[in-house]
Structures are given as structure tokens and as C-alpha cells.
Amino acid sequence: MRMVDLIIKKRNGNAFSNEEISYIIDRYVGGEIPDYQISALLMAIYFQGMNFKEVSVLTDKMMHSGETMDLTSISGPRVDKHSTGGVGDKVSIPLAPLVASAGLIVPMVSGRGLGHTGGTLDKLESIPGFSSRINKKHFVEYLSRSGAVIAGQTHNFVPADKQLYALRDVTGTVESIPLITASIMSKKLASGTDGLVMDVKTGSGAFMSSLEDARRLADMLVETGKFMNKNIRAVITDMNEPLGEYVGNSLEVYEAIEFLKGRGEERLGKVIFQLGSHMLVLGGIVNTPEEGITLLEEKIKNGEALARFGEILKNQGGDPAVIENPERLPISDKKEVFSLPYSGYISHINTRKVGLA
Ligand code: URA
């Protein structure tokens, strides 16, 4: 096989065989195929797409490109959540401790910023000392101790996605349903979760700006999950304006802490409770999303979710004092104030531009 022939094959709109997908992933991770050829291939996939069988094989190959987590030693329902990416989307930060305090095991493997969207890991790393680089032994240890871990990909964990993700970010090939599906599902399946709730964003700040594309992405994610024997649900949520009131790494950590203290902005709270309640249903902790919301509200009120966040920070080297003293979080020294000479209300925001800023 020659890589150039495979690029031409996809450029001309043909489907890959299982062997061809294995060839591409094995050789790319092994350092035998240069980035410029994979960039051309990603662009061909962007324009020509992939069928369901190709996406499933790609997901499986990417998932097995490094080591996978075995969490069978941990008792409790393992359920995770992942977002397709948005602006001001800090949901994972309060959600992981919240649902863990309600009894779920959350092995969360998150990403970095992609395109105009922020990354959970970049946000968490604004907390002094916090580390998302966790080895397999500590991943299992922290999970059994506190019910949640928020980690990044080490060079051994889904290396195929780590490399492809970085390349897509700089080659204009992010907004592709097959590539987003394989990227998300490979990470989530390798982390040892049984259930997954997908937050599929739609609107001006999402990769899938139209509702129709968001539905197609949600379908592809759910079908791929089923094919891999996982229990998966997708919730489509609005990204026509930034989520919450803050955008930016440390600002979003601040807002996540405010939410856990019971002072969250309403729209942000709605998304967190919706996703969390579906996670609890998937994990068998409650029977309906309504029961789930009641339980989660209780965990915020009685302070258990916030306490769990402190434990996660301690496990991962972060300074738990930021919870009571948010001034310990770094703040940018560049400020620009925009004011109007008259009063009014904002009717529309170009969310993508806010993300880029
Ligand atoms: N999140 C991911 O992990 N991968 C994508 O491609 C998009 C969002």
C-alpha cells in the first residue's frame, strides 16, 4: 500500500477497507507517514466523508492505538459525558464532581482547545498545580477514591487522536462528522466507560452550526456507540450564545466553582442538570431525568458536589484553596472595556468570534 494512493482514493470519493484504515493509523502513530500526507487525507475526508462502517473501524483502530483502561476493579456504574465543543462550555468541570457525589464513576478523558472552542484541560490547568497528565495506576486509584478523574491523553493513551486532533486544529478539518465521531468515541471507549452522554452543540459557536448537521452528528455518535456495545444518549444544546457569563480559562473555572456553590447562571445550570440527570439514568441511579435533577439539586445544596470537586483537585495536584479564594486564579492583565452611550439589550452574539477572541 502507498499512502499517496489512499489519499487519491478518498479524494475521488471511495470508501476505505478495514486493512487500509489499519495501515493509515498504525503507520501514522508509528511515525512512518508524515503530517503533510495525513493533512491531505484529512481534507479529503472533510470533503468526501466516510460511511458508517469506515467510521466504526477508524474509531476502533484509534481507540486501540495505545493502552486502554481496565476499570473492572472499581465497583459502581461508569458513565461519562463529552461535548462536541463550544464557547464558554465549562460544563465538564462542575458536572464530574456533581454526578460523582450522586454515586457515578466518571472516568473523564478530556481534550484541549480545538478551533475556536476552549478545552476542559486548558481551563483546569489554570488552577495552580493542577495536572491532567495521569498515569494508568493513578487514574484507577483516584477514580476509586473520589469517583471522578479529569485527565488528558498521555502519549500512550489514544495517541492516534492526540496526533490527529492537533493536526485538524491547524488544517481547517475540524468540522467533519466522521472525524469528530472517531475522535470523541475513541477517547471515551478507551477510558473504560460503559455509558456516555453526548452534548452535541448547535449554533454559531458550535462546529455543527445547523440543527440538521447536529442531528446527523448525534446519530453517528449514538450508532457508533451502539456498535461498540456502549449505552449512549445524545442531547442537542444551544450554542448561539456563549454558555454562562464567562469565557476564558481561569474565568470559566471561577464560574464552575460558583455553580457548585449554588450560584450558577440559569442557562448553564439547565444544561448541567439535563446532562447530569441523563447520566444518572444511564447509570441506573434514578429512573427518570426528573428524579435525577432533584437528586443533583440536593447535592449542590448540601455541599457534597463542591466537596467532591476539592477532592478531585487534591488528587490531581491542584490548589483546593482556589475554591474559597478565587483570586488565586490567574487573571489577564489585558483589558478592554466596551461601553455604549445608550441602554438596551443584546439580541445576538457571534459566538464563534467571542471564542476566537
Ligand atoms: N471533541 C473531541 O474530542 N474531538 C473533536 O473532534 C471535537 C470535539
Side-chain angles (χ1 to χ4, degrees):
M1 258 182 250
R2 289 192 323 153
M3 190 58 204
V4 63
D5 297 327
L6 297 177
I7 296 170
I8 293 168
K9 182 170 185 179
K10 186 46 80 182
R11 185 199 69 191
N12 292 346
N14 297 307
F16 286 137
S17 66
N18 298 3
E19 293 68 35
E20 286 166 338
I21 294 174
S22 298
Y23 174 90
I24 294 165
I25 296 300
D26 290 346
R27 310 259 157 154
Y28 182 47
V29 173
E32 292 166 53
I33 303 176
D35 278 353
Y36 56 80
Q37 282 191 306
I38 296 295
S39 302
L41 179 73
L42 290 171
M43 193 56 86
I45 293 174
Y46 176 91
F47 281 113
Q48 297 292 357
M50 282 181 136
N51 64 34
F52 176 67
K53 184 167 157 267
E54 287 177 289
V55 175
S56 305
V57 175
L58 178 63
T59 304
D60 189 59
K61 276 308 298 180
M62 285 170 64
M63 167 186 168
H64 289 107
S65 62
E67 56 184 17
T68 54
M69 297 292 170
D70 176 7
L71 302 180
T72 45
S73 62
I74 303 174
S75 59
R78 298 180 287 264
V79 184
D80 194 2
K81 164 263 165 190
H82 198 83
S83 158
T84 57
V87 178
D89 180 2
K90 69 280 296 167
V91 167
S92 291
I93 301 169
L95 183 64
L98 175 60
V99 295
S101 71
L104 289 183
I105 301 293
V106 191
M108 196 175 265
V109 176
S110 296
R112 301 219 168 255
L114 184 65
H116 64 282
T117 69
T120 298
L121 302 180
D122 303 315
K123 293 171 195 178
L124 281 168
E125 285 173 4
S126 70
I127 300 171
F130 186 92
S131 172
S132 60
R133 291 160 65 95
I134 294 170
N135 65 29
K136 211 168 168 172
K137 181 172 158 269
H138 285 136
F139 193 92
V140 176
E141 187 186 314
Y142 300 157
L143 210 48
S144 351
R145 190 189 302 154
S146 306
V149 171
I150 307 179
Q153 288 144 278
T154 57
H155 71 281
N156 254 346
F157 186 77
V158 203
D161 181 58
K162 196 175 158 75
Q163 289 171 238
L164 290 173
Y165 195 89
L167 206 51
R168 286 168 58 215
D169 194 27
V170 293
T171 55
T173 52
V174 172
E175 293 93 341
S176 151
I177 290 179
L179 295 177
I180 295 177
T181 303
S183 163
I184 292 177
M185 296 308 287
S186 60
K187 283 194 283 278
K188 294 289 137 174
L189 299 176
S191 71
T193 191
D194 295 321
L196 175 65
V197 173
M198 276 305 314
D199 181 4
V200 179
K201 301 284 187 201
T202 184
S204 65
F207 293 128
M208 296 295 120
S209 48
S210 75
L211 187 57
E212 193 193 341
D213 279 347
R215 285 216 171 97
R216 284 174 46 223
L217 175 58
D219 283 345
M220 179 76 95
L221 286 160
V222 171
E223 285 309 310
T224 311
K226 272 195 211 149
F227 182 78
M228 310 293 241
N229 286 325
K230 299 289 165 182
N231 227 337
I232 153 162
R233 287 182 176 203
V235 179
I236 296 178
T237 66
D238 177 52
M239 193 31 77
N240 276 307
E241 56 185 280
L243 192 54
E245 293 177 330
Y246 295 84
V247 179
N249 292 342
S250 64
L251 293 171
E252 293 189 41
V253 170
Y254 169 73
E255 190 173 22
I257 295 170
E258 284 293 293
F259 170 82
L260 290 169
K261 288 179 177 171
R263 301 197 286 252
E265 187 260 341
E266 196 185 330
R267 207 165 135 262
L268 172 66
K270 211 165 170 183
V271 173
I272 295 172
F273 286 129
Q274 274 299 323
L275 296 168
S277 64
H278 282 287
M279 291 173 80
L280 296 184
V281 174
L282 277 189
I285 302 237
V286 295
N287 292 318
T288 64
E290 292 72 30
E291 272 177 58
I293 291 176
T294 308
L295 178 58
L296 295 175
E297 282 172 346
E298 231 173 83
K299 298 291 171 188
I300 297 282
K301 271 199 203 112
N302 67 18
E304 285 179 34
L306 185 66
R308 197 60 74 99
F309 181 59
E311 267 184 48
I312 295 170
L313 289 192
K314 258 189 231 156
N315 287 341
Q316 300 191 219
D319 177 7
V322 297
I323 293 176
E324 291 315 321
N325 305 295
E327 64 281 1
R328 286 178 181 244
L329 290 165
I331 289 273
S332 171
D333 54 5
K334 295 184 185 62
K335 283 187 189 166
E336 207 167 326
V337 177
F338 296 89
S339 46
L340 287 176
Y342 48 84
S343 66
Y345 58 89
I346 295 167
S347 66
H348 177 79
I349 295 179
N350 185 328
T351 311
R352 177 177 285 255
K353 285 195 176 165
V354 175
L356 288 173

